Amino acid sequence: MRISEIGSPEHRPSHNASLSQLLSQLECSIKEGELLSPEKPLPTNLSSDLRSTLSQLSSLVPFSNSIKLQIWKLSFRLWNACVDLSNAAGVRASSDKAGEEVVKLRQVSADMLLLAGNVDGVPSPALKSASFYYKTGLIWHELRRFDLAASCFEKATDLTAKLDVAIISDPGERKLLLDLNIARSRTAWDVADRNLAVTLLNRAKNLLSGSAEHYKALGNQYLIFGKSALSKIKGSGVKEALKLMNEALDLFEKGLSTARTRNGTEDLKASRSKCLRFIAAVHLQGEEFESVLKCIRVLREGGGDRHPCLPVLAMKAWLGLQRYGEAEKELRSMVVNKGVPESIWVSAVEAYFDAAGAAGAETTKGLFLGLLDRCHVSAGAAVRIAFRVVGEGGSGDGARVRAKVAAELVSDERVVALFAGEAAAKDRTAMHAVLWNCAADHFRLKDYVTSAEMFEKSMLYVPYNIENRILRAKGFRVLCLCHLGLSQLDQAQEYINEAEKIEPNIACAFLKFKIYLQKNDHNAAIHQMQGMTTCIDFTPDFLSLSAHEAIACRAIPVAVASLSNLLDFSSGKAMPTTEVAVLRTLVTILAHDSGCEQEILKFMKRAHLRMSELGPDCFFGKGEVGRRERNWFAVNAWNFGSNAGKEKNYEACAEFFRLASEFYSVVLDGEMEENSIMVCKSLTLSVSAMVAAEKQRQVPLLDTEVKQAIKLLERAGKTLSSISSRTQLDEDQATAIKPNLFFIYTFNAYDLHGRLNDLGSQQLQLVKTFASSKFCNPNHLLQIGLNASQGPQSNHEVATFALTECLSAFLSSPSPDYQNIALIARRLISVASIHRGETDDDAVYAMYKQAYRIMVGLKDGDYPTDEAKWLAVTAWNRAAMPVCLGQADAAKKWMNMGLEVASKVAGMDTYRSCMEDFVVDFAKKHAQIDDDGESK
């Protein structure tokens, strides 16, 4: 800014030499400033030197008019130098140090005018000085040095405060006063002194002077403050913003009444419309929807405003009033309005869909497709619309409707065409992600129909090139899963075949396995499972997973084959689970299917073999885990043996019990001794099952098998001997060891030893041991005695001992079982008769005599009648031979025994009479023979 030449009045003589010196210093500093160049760094001490000089001059006031004039000239020279520096730099103000230094020089120039004061001959000196401060304050404000800006504006205000606005006629000067108030208000607003800012704007209303330009400037500042309040202040900000905007609207309308030019009128109308749009936005934020519609109605009817935001505001207002029909009309009007930018249209569609929900999905699709016919739409807009339509998760009918509409939208050829080419690669990936995520959400909700449709649509956005083949294969695999969930097995197989063509891997192989399972094609499933091991990315986990799938489908053969392959494949390698767990699972699976005893036995034997090879601790595990595994195999082997015995499958029964004995005999880490009782029971029952199997198949055991059975019994015998020798048994032992067990052991041991032609004494010792044990039972002894008394391997010593002991036990009973007693008596007589013959007639006679004594004193019927008759008849018949041989004494002995027994048997009276007659006749005959002999 340049100052005109001002005539210099006559200088009065200086009375103070220092004043001249200070003025000279001031002029030298200003000359230095005039020589500054923006290409060179500005000295940082220039402004401080000038300010120091001014400080010294201030102590010499008052000045003469000539001195004042000189200071004014120097001030303008400094100001003009600052203007030249700014213009040469091409920037009015800068944020760097050099820029701040220039502003400081400007403020020094303004301070010089303030120091000089009014000068005669200079018109409006106060306004000129105020303008320097105003312009300097504006630059400080731009540099965001609000404190310095406020100081400049306040000094300018003080300079103009005493002026009478009414007598100021110059438009520029009146505009300066208005701008000064607005600038000061703006600085107060930026330092959050909002009350002062609004107060200053209200004061500025007195400076309008009927100028349309003034109304516009002040109204714009009110509008700026309103927008700032709306964006930064929450809660009360809406009310504050509305108040400020209403003030702006009032100023624009008053300005219209004073406008004299067409351009001025158009500018004010545009500002008024802008203000009304912001007021509508404020009402919308405050949810005053009726007020929004009033503002829009005024804009459309009064000024014919067609701003693109009006349909958006109107639509949102109608949505707020839940009048979706009117909102849809506003939205459709945007389709034909080519002035609506794409971003605004998409935002409006999003807002409409958020409010209308699934019910607005079809409308959204139609509008978007309509927009495609009207103008070019970007791929990014299509992604945003698709994302809004599918929503973010959710379930139920609404989610399915949204997904269906989205599928129709994205499958439209015009929409797909938007994503063609490399330029749309990023948006194509985004669209694929939107559709994929929607499909995945429905898949998790088991809505496989919707999921399959969305996965298919996502494939439209996967290019057919090498880079995306993995993604395409992945899409085919998930489609296979969807159709598997729908039990559409043929379609699932088509998709997985396509995926395998693109990317053959273990995932494809496993899905084909699932399809065969669901088709109940077990052979194909097993073949597919075996083929998995040839895949490059195969891991043993897939065999375990195959077994789980087979179990879920109740395909027992497939599950067994999978786990068997897992055992074979992982032999000596790391397994996804322990070998014992796999074998346990195999046994458990087979146990659910009948007729699998041999398979179960095979895997039980394998478990025993692996236990022997690896050691119990390595196979079962250590601590409590190992004990549980060991007990599981032992208990289940026992149970399988028991079930096989019940089903009369004695060969399997023998094997299971033998395995049970092996598992029970395992001593793991931390245990003191084996479970000897269960070992003993398992061994005994195993041998018993071997003998039963022999009888069942009617093929005698081989000598090797007999010897093996004897060895098993010897192990069991050691346990039984130690238990039976104890004076007192634990409660658990007493419960576990039952008399039957000792009997079975003794019976089988006796039988097997007899087959090897062992000495009878060993068999006898076995029976004696049993008879002396705590577990001996007379009935068991009876059975042993009967068995020993007959058959090709009979042993009369064992039979005699067992039957004798048994007879003593029965007779000592409080309620003797005379049926068994009679049976024992007959069998003892038979054994003695066969093995002793006539050489030991007295022994046989003693047994008859014992039987007779037993019968003495019994009631009729206590002793079995048939057995009593047998005793009587056989005793009588034994006299036949002595009679024929003429052995009278022997004959009398047996005939008397027969008569004695017959006398105790009811119903033998006739027989007894005949016997007695025969005895009398025999005695007479024998006496006559004796007499004849003597006479001769």
Side-chain angles (χ1 to χ4, degrees):
M1 180 179 179
R2 297 291 182 180
I3 185 171
S4 302
E5 291 294 332
I6 299 177
S8 301
E10 293 183 358
H11 292 275
R12 60 186 180 86
S14 175
H15 300 288
N16 193 333
S18 60
L19 180 60
S20 299
Q21 184 180 1
L22 291 173
L23 290 174
S24 297
Q25 292 177 2
L26 190 62
E27 186 174 4
C28 289
S29 297
I30 291 173
K31 285 180 179 180
E32 183 182 352
E34 289 173 332
L35 298 174
L36 295 175
S37 172
E39 287 80 11
K40 298 179 181 179
L42 297 180
T44 57
N45 61 340
L46 182 58
S47 61
S48 59
D49 291 344
L50 287 169
R51 194 163 296 284
S52 176
T53 304
L54 281 180
S55 177
Q56 295 179 43
L57 278 173
S58 64
S59 63
L60 300 177
V61 294
F63 303 126
S64 63
N65 194 64
S66 60
I67 298 298
K68 291 180 180 180
L69 184 58
Q70 186 179 357
I71 294 173
W72 270 68
K73 289 180 179 180
L74 292 173
S75 172
F76 271 86
R77 285 174 60 187
L78 179 59
W79 184 269
N80 291 336
C82 293
V83 173
D84 291 339
L85 281 172
S86 297
N87 291 338
V91 183
R92 185 161 183 258
S94 175
S95 60
D96 57 13
K97 293 289 184 181
E100 288 192 9
E101 192 63 28
V102 174
V103 183
K104 289 179 182 178
L105 292 176
R106 286 178 181 266
Q107 185 155 355
V108 170
S109 175
D111 289 340
M112 289 172 64
L113 293 184
L114 180 62
L115 179 64
N118 294 335
V119 181
D120 295 339
V122 176
S124 304
L127 287 173
K128 287 183 171 59
S129 179
S131 70
F132 274 30
Y133 277 116
Y134 166 70
K135 293 173 183 178
T136 303
L138 290 178
I139 299 174
W140 281 125
H141 187 92
E142 291 178 4
L143 295 174
R144 305 197 65 77
R145 297 292 298 274
F146 298 124
D147 53 340
L148 298 177
S151 176
C152 290
F153 293 146
E154 288 170 2
K155 289 179 180 180
T157 302
D158 290 339
L159 289 169
T160 60
K162 296 180 180 180
L163 297 177
D164 187 357
V165 180
I167 63 175
I168 298 176
S169 58
D170 183 67
E173 293 178 352
R174 298 179 70 88
K175 183 68 165 58
L176 173 63
L177 295 177
L178 177 64
D179 291 343
L180 177 60
N181 274 275
I182 292 174
R184 187 181 173 195
S185 172
R186 187 165 55 246
T187 301
W189 185 272
D190 286 339
V191 296
D193 193 352
R194 303 188 185 280
N195 291 332
L196 176 60
V198 175
T199 301
L200 291 171
L201 285 187
N202 290 333
R203 290 180 188 174
K205 292 178 181 179
N206 299 323
L207 305 174
L208 295 175
S209 66
S211 169
E213 185 180 356
H214 292 183
Y215 279 108
K216 178 184 174 183
L218 185 57
N220 283 335
Q221 193 58 53
Y222 269 109
L223 183 59
I224 291 171
F225 284 173
K227 291 191 290 183
S228 176
L230 185 64
S231 62
K232 293 184 179 180
I233 305 177
K234 297 180 180 179
S236 62
V238 175
K239 184 182 294 186
E240 176 76 10
L242 188 60
K243 181 179 179 181
L244 292 169
M245 290 179 184
N246 282 328
E247 289 284 355
L249 180 63
D250 183 60
L251 289 169
F252 292 142
E253 290 179 344
K254 289 180 179 179
L256 281 172
S257 64
T258 61
R260 298 292 180 266
T261 63
R262 182 177 179 180
N263 289 338
T265 301
E266 292 297 327
D267 288 344
L268 281 167
K269 283 184 178 180
S271 298
R272 173 178 173 273
S273 296
K274 181 179 180 181
C275 186
L276 276 171
R277 290 195 296 272
F278 274 105
I279 290 174
V282 172
H283 284 306
L284 185 64
Q285 188 168 340
E287 298 183 357
E288 298 173 357
F289 304 117
E290 293 288 354
S291 299
V292 176
L293 295 173
K294 287 180 181 178
C295 291
I296 293 172
R297 195 175 300 116
V298 170
L299 285 167
R300 287 174 172 173
E301 295 174 356
D305 193 346
R306 293 293 181 267
H307 194 276
C309 76
L310 293 184
V312 179
L313 292 171
M315 182 202 70
K316 291 183 178 180
W318 288 121
L319 289 175
L321 295 172
Q322 297 184 353
R323 296 174 65 177
Y324 300 113
E326 286 80 356
E328 185 178 338
K329 291 178 182 178
E330 292 289 347
L331 194 57
R332 291 188 181 279
S333 69
M334 296 173 65
V335 176
V336 298
N337 187 352
K338 296 186 179 181
V340 179
E342 177 188 281
S343 59
I344 293 179
W345 193 94
V346 173
S347 176
V349 171
E350 290 176 338
Y352 173 80
F353 190 74
D354 287 343
E362 193 68 37
T363 300
T364 302
K365 183 196 74 173
L367 290 173
F368 185 77
L369 295 179
L371 188 64
L372 288 174
D373 295 331
R374 180 177 66 83
C375 62
H376 173 72
V377 177
S378 68
V383 173
R384 288 180 61 184
I385 294 298
F387 178 74
R388 283 295 178 183
V389 171
V390 300
E392 298 181 8
S395 60
D397 294 337
R400 280 191 290 273
V401 170
R402 290 199 303 270
K404 184 177 184 301
V405 173
E408 295 172 357
L409 174 66
V410 300
S411 60
D412 189 279
E413 293 180 356
R414 293 167 294 175
V415 177
V416 176
L418 297 176
F419 295 85
E422 290 299 320
K426 187 175 181 180
D427 291 323
R428 187 166 55 242
T429 302
M431 177 64 86
H432 178 270
V434 168
L435 300 177
W436 183 278
N437 292 337
C438 175
D441 289 337
H442 286 281
F443 186 88
R444 282 189 285 270
L445 295 171
K446 301 187 184 304
D447 183 1
Y448 299 121
V449 174
T450 305
S451 178
E453 184 178 16
M454 296 308 292
F455 278 128
E456 284 182 2
K457 303 311 178 189
S458 72
M459 296 287 284
L460 296 172
Y461 298 89
V462 181
Y464 285 84
N465 52 32
I466 296 177
E467 291 80 4
N468 290 280
R469 65 183 183 83
I470 295 177
L471 192 59
R472 286 173 54 226
K474 184 179 179 182
F476 284 127
R477 287 197 297 271
V478 295
L479 282 167
C480 170
L481 285 172
C482 292
H483 288 285
L484 271 175
L486 294 170
S487 297
Q488 297 171 353
L489 304 181
D490 292 336
Q491 294 91 325
Q493 191 158 14
E494 290 177 9
Y495 280 118
I496 201 58
N497 288 339
E498 290 298 320
E500 193 171 36
K501 291 177 185 177
I502 300 171
E503 186 191 16
N505 57 16
I506 186 63
C508 293
F510 182 73
L511 286 176
K512 291 181 76 173
F513 169 79
K514 282 177 65 73
I515 293 171
Y516 289 133
L517 271 182
Q518 294 197 17
K519 285 185 174 182
N520 288 324
D521 190 347
H522 292 175
N523 291 331
I526 292 173
H527 183 266
Q528 182 65 30
M529 176 270 298
Q530 292 169 344
M532 287 183 196
T533 57
T534 61
C535 294
I536 297 176
D537 53 346
F538 169 78
T539 62
D541 297 274
F542 280 95
L543 290 175
S544 178
L545 188 59
S546 299
H548 285 291
E549 290 291 336
I551 293 170
C553 294
R554 299 185 181 277
I556 302 302
V558 182
V560 172
S562 299
L563 292 175
S564 299
N565 270 25
L566 177 60
L567 288 174
D568 296 336
F569 183 84
S570 303
S571 179
K573 303 176 184 178
M575 294 178 62
T577 185
T578 59
E579 189 172 0
V580 67
V582 176
L583 287 165
R584 171 166 41 80
T585 305
L586 273 167
V587 173
T588 303
I589 294 170
L590 291 167
H592 288 84
D593 199 9
S594 60
C596 296
E597 288 80 6
Q598 292 303 318
E599 286 289 311
I600 294 173
L601 183 59
K602 180 180 75 172
F603 290 113
M604 280 283 191
K605 286 182 176 180
R606 178 162 183 167
H608 176 255
L609 176 63
R610 294 297 291 161
M611 178 193 72
S612 302
E613 293 174 349
L614 301 176
D617 288 338
C618 291
F619 180 70
F620 290 122
K622 296 183 179 180
E624 185 60 30
V625 173
R627 283 190 288 275
R628 284 200 300 267
E629 292 287 2
R630 186 271 315 276
N631 292 341
W632 189 91
F633 276 93
V635 169
N636 278 276
W638 174 276
N639 292 338
F640 289 133
S642 299
N643 292 334
K646 292 175 182 178
E647 295 172 1
K648 297 185 179 181
N649 186 357
Y650 297 120
E651 292 184 8
C653 175
E655 292 289 343
F656 280 123
F657 278 126
R658 186 184 63 78
L659 288 170
S661 70
E662 296 294 336
F663 289 127
Y664 275 123
S665 64
V666 172
V667 178
L668 294 173
D669 180 43
E671 292 184 328
M672 299 302 295
E673 59 182 9
E674 64 182 15
N675 192 339
S676 57
I677 294 177
M678 291 305 299
V679 172
C680 175
K681 292 171 70 174
S682 301
L683 291 170
T684 304
L685 293 176
S686 176
V687 174
S688 181
M690 292 172 66
V691 175
E694 175 192 41
K695 294 178 181 178
Q696 186 181 54
R697 65 174 182 262
Q698 296 182 349
V699 177
L701 292 173
L702 300 176
D703 288 346
T704 54
E705 293 175 327
V706 172
K707 291 177 181 179
Q708 180 186 11
I710 290 175
K711 288 181 180 180
L712 297 178
L713 287 177
E714 286 175 354
R715 287 179 57 194
K718 293 177 182 179
T719 302
L720 287 174
S721 299
S722 63
I723 292 175
S724 62
S725 62
R726 298 176 191 173
T727 56
Q728 186 174 0
L729 295 179
D730 297 336
E731 183 179 351
D732 293 340
Q733 292 175 337
T735 303
I737 297 294
K738 296 181 180 179
N740 287 347
L741 181 67
F742 212 152
F743 164 69
I744 294 171
Y745 161 77
T746 304
F747 190 87
N748 289 324
Y750 167 83
D751 179 33
L752 294 171
H753 278 290
R755 299 187 190 198
L756 294 179
N757 296 319
D758 288 348
L759 296 176
S761 59
Q762 190 167 0
Q763 291 177 304
L764 181 60
Q765 184 60 41
L766 282 169
V767 178
K768 286 183 176 180
T769 302
F770 174 66
S772 62
S773 70
K774 302 178 179 64
F775 306 107
C776 181
N777 184 301
N779 291 317
H780 293 157
L781 276 175
L782 174 59
Q783 192 168 347
I784 293 173
L786 293 175
N787 186 69
S789 66
Q790 59 190 3
Q793 299 175 2
S794 61
N795 187 325
H796 72 282
E797 293 182 354
V798 173
T800 302
F801 172 79
L803 293 173
T804 302
E805 290 292 322
C806 179
L807 181 60
S808 300
F810 279 130
L811 290 174
S812 62
S813 172
S815 300
D817 184 352
Y818 291 106
Q819 184 70 43
N820 284 333
I821 291 172
L823 176 62
I824 294 169
R826 176 192 282 214
R827 189 55 58 92
L828 281 171
I829 292 171
S830 298
V831 170
S833 299
I834 294 171
H835 293 283
R836 297 184 183 184
E838 300 301 329
T839 59
D840 195 5
D841 188 64
D842 292 338
V844 177
Y845 181 81
M847 292 177 187
Y848 274 96
K849 194 69 175 178
Q850 184 179 13
Y852 169 72
R853 290 169 182 166
I854 293 171
M855 297 170 63
V856 173
L858 294 181
K859 297 177 181 179
D860 291 342
D862 285 349
Y863 196 93
T865 303
D866 291 341
E867 292 295 330
K869 288 181 179 180
W870 181 87
L871 286 172
V873 172
T874 55
W876 181 266
N877 290 339
R878 282 181 176 274
M881 185 62 69
V883 169
C884 293
L885 297 176
Q887 297 174 355
D889 293 337
K892 289 180 181 179
K893 179 177 69 173
W894 285 111
M895 285 190 289
N896 289 332
M897 176 57 66
L899 281 171
E900 288 176 356
V901 174
S903 64
K904 302 297 181 185
V905 181
M908 289 191 71
D909 295 338
T910 303
Y911 289 101
R912 191 169 60 251
S913 298
C914 293
M915 288 177 182
E916 289 174 349
D917 291 343
F918 184 84
V919 169
V920 172
D921 291 343
F922 178 77
K924 290 179 180 179
K925 183 178 180 181
H926 189 269
Q928 184 179 358
I929 293 172
D930 288 344
D931 291 341
D932 292 343
E934 290 177 0
S935 64
K936 289 180 180 180

